[in-house]
Amino acid sequence: MIYSSGIACFPGNPIDLEIGRITRLKKYLLETGLNNYVLAPEEENALIDFPNEKFQDFSVVDVFHVRNTKNILYSDIIENSGDIPYLCASADNNAVSSYISYDPKYLDKGNCVFIGGKTFVVTYQENDFYSNDSHNLVLDMKEEKKKNKLNQLYLATCIEKSLGYKYSWGDSISKSKIRSDVVSLPAANNKPKYELMNVFASAINKLVIKRVIQYVDKKIDSSEVFIIITNQKINASHIK
């Protein structure tokens, strides 16, 4: 195998496979537009000004419609039987334990904040999903015009930080309990600053992407250097 740099590699070699994986990741970032990590002026300002932001407590039920998820027992599913996420109360893999096929009447609508009831794991769920029986909750933003992925990622973090200390396996959250809870949000004139949340979340997203791309580039560079040295040693041994 010959890469664009002219470096030869042997199929099946671990370094060859590593470069292949990293190259595919870089291609994916490029094709999905996730390779753009340059901060816009408003994003830079949001990061700089954030320590001075004023936060205010809001009733969770003033910000969200709260509902219980539909519940499916784990014993009733067939793992990896479809393409719909099956959620549990785990922090791993954004709470997705498997992808299944099941009765559509048990499907929950995505584009929401999901709370794993027994463990208080808070995530944003972009797609429709099925839920296990961990007494999970769905939080739907009431401000429909502000209901986008970035705002909900921000809100999910605020929910976790505002209420995470309060709930545990022995004292799990519920639809009735959350009615008396408050969430701390950046605010102005007694209203949540959704525009700021969107810009701030976008800035954080770009910073994460930047670190991923820097990691990818570093891995490719280090792997190519290793291959060059290896090829030089092989060539030298052939000359002898």
Side-chain angles (χ1 to χ4, degrees):
M1 180 179 293
I2 305 294
Y3 287 100
S4 59
S5 60
I7 296 171
C9 223
F10 302 104
N13 184 292
I15 298 298
D16 184 18
L17 296 174
E18 176 73 2
I19 289 184
R21 287 192 291 266
I22 296 296
T23 302
R24 287 194 295 274
L25 173 58
K26 193 166 186 177
K27 181 180 179 182
Y28 169 79
L29 294 171
L30 179 64
E31 291 176 347
T32 56
L34 292 176
N35 62 322
N36 176 22
Y37 56 80
V38 178
L39 295 178
E42 61 269 23
E43 292 168 336
E44 290 183 345
N45 291 335
L47 293 174
I48 294 171
D49 296 339
F50 188 76
N52 300 318
E53 285 294 334
K54 303 298 183 182
F55 279 68
Q56 182 176 331
D57 287 343
F58 294 88
S59 172
V60 172
V61 293
D62 285 343
V63 179
F64 298 99
H65 298 291
V66 181
R67 57 184 170 87
N68 293 312
T69 62
K70 304 178 182 70
N71 298 328
I72 304 173
L73 293 174
Y74 177 77
S75 58
D76 290 340
I77 72 162
I78 300 175
E79 286 193 331
N80 305 315
S81 58
D83 56 5
I84 305 298
Y86 177 65
L87 306 186
C88 61
S90 170
D92 296 335
N93 198 31
N94 203 47
V96 178
S97 68
S98 185
Y99 290 87
I100 66 171
S101 176
Y102 204 79
D103 190 334
K105 73 179 182 181
Y106 289 95
L107 201 62
D108 280 297
K109 191 70 176 175
N111 191 27
C112 66
V113 174
F114 171 86
I115 299 179
K118 289 183 178 179
T119 56
F120 199 74
V121 168
V122 187
T123 61
Y124 167 71
Q125 297 297 328
E126 186 169 10
N127 301 312
D128 295 350
F129 60 89
Y130 293 113
S131 170
N132 75 351
D133 60 334
S134 295
H135 307 292
N136 304 320
L137 298 178
V138 168
L139 276 57
D140 284 310
M141 281 182 66
K142 289 187 173 182
E143 286 277 356
E144 284 290 336
K145 293 182 179 180
K146 308 297 183 182
K147 189 177 180 181
N148 59 48
K149 180 177 181 177
L150 290 174
N151 274 343
Q152 291 181 92
L153 285 169
Y154 191 105
L155 287 168
T157 300
C158 290
I159 289 288
E160 196 279 328
K161 294 300 182 183
S162 296
L163 303 178
Y165 75 95
K166 185 176 181 180
Y167 295 107
S168 63
W169 185 272
D171 184 15
S172 59
I173 196 169
S174 68
K175 184 179 177 181
S176 59
K177 289 179 181 178
I178 203 172
R179 294 191 63 83
S180 61
D181 287 328
V182 296
V183 56
S184 183
L185 302 173
N189 301 318
N190 295 317
K191 293 183 179 180
K193 295 176 67 173
Y194 289 116
E195 288 77 11
L196 170 68
M197 297 182 204
N198 189 83
V199 173
F200 187 84
S202 177
I204 295 299
N205 192 48
K206 285 184 177 181
L207 292 177
V208 172
I209 291 170
K210 181 178 180 180
R211 294 184 67 178
V212 171
I213 291 177
Q214 288 175 336
Y215 167 80
V216 168
D217 289 338
K218 184 177 180 180
K219 290 289 286 185
I220 289 177
D221 289 343
S222 61
S223 297
E224 289 186 343
V225 168
F226 178 85
I227 293 168
I228 289 173
I229 295 172
T230 302
N231 287 341
Q232 287 174 344
K233 289 182 178 179
I234 292 172
N235 291 333
S237 65
H238 287 168
I239 292 173
K240 291 179 181 179

